[in-house]
């Protein structure tokens, strides 16, 4: 009789969105497109100032003119007791949140981790005044009502129909790459205390907790690693891929769908009011047209985290989005600017603000573009507190493409049964034959 079906699992590679960091002291799992993690004892870039992954500034000690603190994140015995130091960029050795997240995989952790962690560039930062909202509104409702009143004063809001359709925005979009140097929400351009200054005390504590366990204990808990929900604010995050989306506009709604490890679905329901009673992972969005400008108000959001050494947000989060069309010199539509204000009185000390441009790459009639619906599949599990890539020998391993339901029945309820193999699919039989060396 042929070998049992679970052997097929060894021949099938399953792509998963695993973290770029493997557990400390554990052998790294080989993954396509992911750099091998730095083991304990790895050396940082050499010289007075080297470069780690993604051109990360690397200093084995404090940069010139910078004096180290007696205690910092990487030498602390209890970061909770260091609250008075959190506002000092030296506490984080001038590493941005993203540099803290990557400090193990970029091999900037040093030869004696975590005390040997490298420093970042202390002069790099993005001004706090460019992150907080420039608008006078205290709440999203106040902001939305003011914009709606402005539209009504001009005879609006604009109502589109099938006979008079909304602006032709249908297509595939991507973030404008030149906007990367303003995207504070990515955690790449700010000193960590600058981001902390935006948060209430409770959420400061939560962010430092994430900094510590991603950068010091090397125990990241990333959404994609475990197939957790992405969360609403991940739409603006760099690694989520949510900013590269398919857009379809109709008289009743504007829909954007995108994703990398999970699917992001944003629907702006035109002319509607909020009705959801239970928080939603991507909230509930209503909106209106003011000519060719789209205004959207998202509420009823499930609180979650941005991950990657950034901050959490609460169920009180609401956003106002203003999508303004952009045209080229000939007046042709090329994309839009997305102006977003984030309101969360529980997590943020004042409303926050971000501007990002999106370029239309192609229209929906592109012959080769498709949206592939994503199923997040992971065999990463926490083992002693750190994410670990499981193998088929672990009872927690799931062979997603090997009929896992049948494997369960056969393991627990069909032990010792004589099973025929003549009804196996041809492709499975071919794989088994190749494993047996019967075909070359």
């Amino acid at each position: 009789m042929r070998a049992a079906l679970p052997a097929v699992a060894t021949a099938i590679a399953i792509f998963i969105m695993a973290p770029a960091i493997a557990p400390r002291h554990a052998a790294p799992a080989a993954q396509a497109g992911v750099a091998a993690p730095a083991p304990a004892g790895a050396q940082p870039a050499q010289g007075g100032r080297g470069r780690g992954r993604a051109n990360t500034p690397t200093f084995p000690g404090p940069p010139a003119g910078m004096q180290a603190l007696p205690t910092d994140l990487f030498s602390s015995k209890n970061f909770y007791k260091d609250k008075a130091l959190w506002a000092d960029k030296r506490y984080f050795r001038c590493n941005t949140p993203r540099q803290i997240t990557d400090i193990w995989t970029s091999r900037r952790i040093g030869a004696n981790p975590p005390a040997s962690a490298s420093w970042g560039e202390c002069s790099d930062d993005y001004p706090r005044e460019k992150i907080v909202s420039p608008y006078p509104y205290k709440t999203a409702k106040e902001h939305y009502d003011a914009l709606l009143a402005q539209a009504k004063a001009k005879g609006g809001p604009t109502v589109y129909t099938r006979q008079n359709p909304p602006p032709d925005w249908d297509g595939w979009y991507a973030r404008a790459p030149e906007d990367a140097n303003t995207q504070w929400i990515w955690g790449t351009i700010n000193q960590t205390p600058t981001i902390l200054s935006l948060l209430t005390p409770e959420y400061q504590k939560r962010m430092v907790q994430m900094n510590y366990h991603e950068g010091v204990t090397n125990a990241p808990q990333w959404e994609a690693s475990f197939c957790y929900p992405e969360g609403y604010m991940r739409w603006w995050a760099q690694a989520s891929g949510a900013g590269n989306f398919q857009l379809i506009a109709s008289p009743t709604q504007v829909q954007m769908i995108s994703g990398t490890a999970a699917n992001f679905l944003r629907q702006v329901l035109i002319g509607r009011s909020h009705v959801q009673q239970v928080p939603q992972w991507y909230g509930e969005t209503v909106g209106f047209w003011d000519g060719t400008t789209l205004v959207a108000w998202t509420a009823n959001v499930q609180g979650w985290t941005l991950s990657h050494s950034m901050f959490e947000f609460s169920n009180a989060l609401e956003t106002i989005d203003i999508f303004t069309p952009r045209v080229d010199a000939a007046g042709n539509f090329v994309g839009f600017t997305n102006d977003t204000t984030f309101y969360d009185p529980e997590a943020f000390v004042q409303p926050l603000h971000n501007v990002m441009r999106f370029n239309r790459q192609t229209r929906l009639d592109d012959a080769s573009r498709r949206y592939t619906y994503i199923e997040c599949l992971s065999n990463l599990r926490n083992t002693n507190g750190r994410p670990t890539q499981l193998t088929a020998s672990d009872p927690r391993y799931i062979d997603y493409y090997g009929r896992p339901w049948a494997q369960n029945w056969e393991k627990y309820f069909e032990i010792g049964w004589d099973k025929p193999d003549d009804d196996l699919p041809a492709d499975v039989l071919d794989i088994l034959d190749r494993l047996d060396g019967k075909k070359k």
Side-chain angles (χ1 to χ4, degrees):
M1 187 175 72
R2 200 183 302 271
L5 183 61
V8 178
T10 62
I12 301 176
I14 302 176
F15 175 77
I16 59 173
M17 292 303 298
I21 297 179
R24 190 166 19 154
H25 309 309
Q31 297 174 45
V34 178
Q43 295 286 347
Q46 299 300 308
R49 178 175 179 177
R51 291 281 173 175
R53 193 174 69 178
N55 293 322
T56 300
T58 296
F59 302 87
M66 192 62 57
Q67 180 68 43
L69 294 173
T71 299
D72 63 24
L73 185 75
F74 300 96
S75 63
S76 179
K77 301 299 182 183
N78 185 341
F79 67 86
Y80 293 112
K81 295 183 177 180
D82 302 335
K83 185 175 181 180
L85 301 175
W86 295 352
D88 192 321
K89 59 188 175 184
R90 295 176 297 169
Y91 183 76
F92 304 93
R93 300 192 184 180
C94 296
N95 285 289
T96 67
R98 186 71 212 196
Q99 289 165 358
I100 293 174
T101 283
D102 291 337
I103 202 162
W104 287 84
T105 55
S106 63
R107 293 175 168 80
R108 298 177 60 248
I109 194 60
N112 185 31
S116 56
S118 298
W119 286 63
E121 175 57 72
C122 295
S123 62
D124 287 347
D125 204 3
Y126 187 70
R128 185 183 188 277
E129 58 268 22
K130 291 187 177 181
I131 302 175
V132 297
S133 173
Y135 304 120
Y137 312 111
K138 302 299 183 184
T139 67
K141 183 179 186 306
E142 180 186 358
H143 195 165
Y144 189 79
D145 287 347
L147 295 175
L148 183 58
Q150 292 173 19
K152 289 180 177 179
K154 294 181 290 185
T158 307
V159 177
Y160 291 107
T161 65
R162 291 190 178 277
Q163 292 71 37
N164 177 35
D168 179 16
W169 288 6
D170 290 4
W172 298 89
Y173 289 78
R175 295 164 171 153
E178 59 270 27
D179 287 346
N181 61 356
T182 63
Q183 295 309 302
W184 60 269
I185 205 167
W186 294 359
T188 57
I189 61 175
N190 286 100
Q191 292 293 322
T192 300
T194 302
I195 300 297
L196 286 171
S197 73
L198 307 169
L199 309 177
T200 58
E202 171 63 23
Y203 283 78
Q204 287 182 351
K205 179 182 68 177
R206 296 182 184 189
M207 179 173 168
V208 176
Q209 181 186 39
M210 182 170 287
N211 296 159
Y212 183 83
H213 290 294
E214 293 199 354
V216 178
T217 66
N218 195 19
Q221 302 292 294
W222 300 350
E223 288 94 332
S225 301
F226 305 103
C227 291
Y228 292 163
E230 291 277 21
Y232 178 58
M233 282 196 73
R234 289 280 291 168
W235 195 83
W236 288 265
Q238 181 181 25
S240 70
N244 305 312
F245 51 82
Q246 178 198 81
L247 184 148
I248 300 175
S250 77
T252 58
Q253 69 175 265
V254 176
Q255 176 177 287
M256 290 166 273
I257 187 169
S258 55
T260 299
N263 301 283
F264 288 85
L265 176 62
R266 298 192 69 190
Q267 292 178 311
V268 183
L269 305 176
I270 306 300
R272 250 74 66 81
S273 300
H274 291 294
V275 299
Q276 289 284 3
Q277 301 298 312
V278 178
Q280 306 294 303
W281 283 111
Y282 301 129
E284 176 191 31
T285 306
V286 301
F288 64 87
W289 288 97
D290 183 1
T292 57
T293 294
L294 177 65
V295 177
W297 173 17
T298 301
N300 304 315
V301 173
Q302 174 62 52
W304 200 238
T305 174
L306 266 169
S307 187
H308 301 306
S309 289
M310 285 292 278
F311 54 81
E312 298 181 24
F313 53 91
S314 79
N315 285 15
L317 176 70
E318 299 186 13
T319 61
I320 298 296
D321 284 291
I322 304 172
F323 299 93
T324 306
R326 294 169 30 242
V327 297
D328 60 17
N332 300 310
F333 175 80
V334 295
F336 51 76
T337 298
N338 177 204
D339 178 296
T340 308
T341 308
F342 302 87
Y343 295 89
D344 188 341
E346 183 175 330
F348 309 150
V349 293
Q350 62 191 101
L352 309 182
H353 183 250
N354 188 70
V355 176
M356 185 181 294
R357 291 174 295 175
F358 296 91
N359 299 327
R360 183 161 67 179
Q361 304 295 294
T362 183
R363 295 177 180 272
L364 289 183
D365 59 3
D366 186 290
S368 61
R369 292 294 294 266
R370 302 287 187 276
Y371 182 77
T372 301
Y373 192 83
I374 299 163
E375 291 289 353
C376 186
L377 308 175
S378 175
N379 271 301
L380 280 162
R381 301 289 186 272
N382 281 314
T383 303
N384 297 324
R386 291 191 176 91
T388 304
Q389 176 68 59
L390 303 184
T391 65
S393 63
D394 192 297
R396 296 174 295 170
Y397 180 86
I398 300 173
D399 179 10
Y400 291 101
Y401 296 113
R403 301 178 65 234
W405 52 90
Q407 291 182 32
N408 179 76
W409 295 327
E410 292 167 6
K411 178 179 179 180
Y412 292 102
F413 305 106
E414 300 179 11
I415 300 172
W417 288 21
D418 184 15
K419 307 182 190 71
D421 60 11
D422 54 0
D423 57 349
L424 287 176
D427 57 343
V428 174
L429 290 172
D430 184 62
I431 291 174
L432 291 172
D433 285 340
R434 291 181 185 278
L435 288 174
D436 290 341
K438 296 180 179 178
K439 293 185 179 181
K440 305 297 183 184

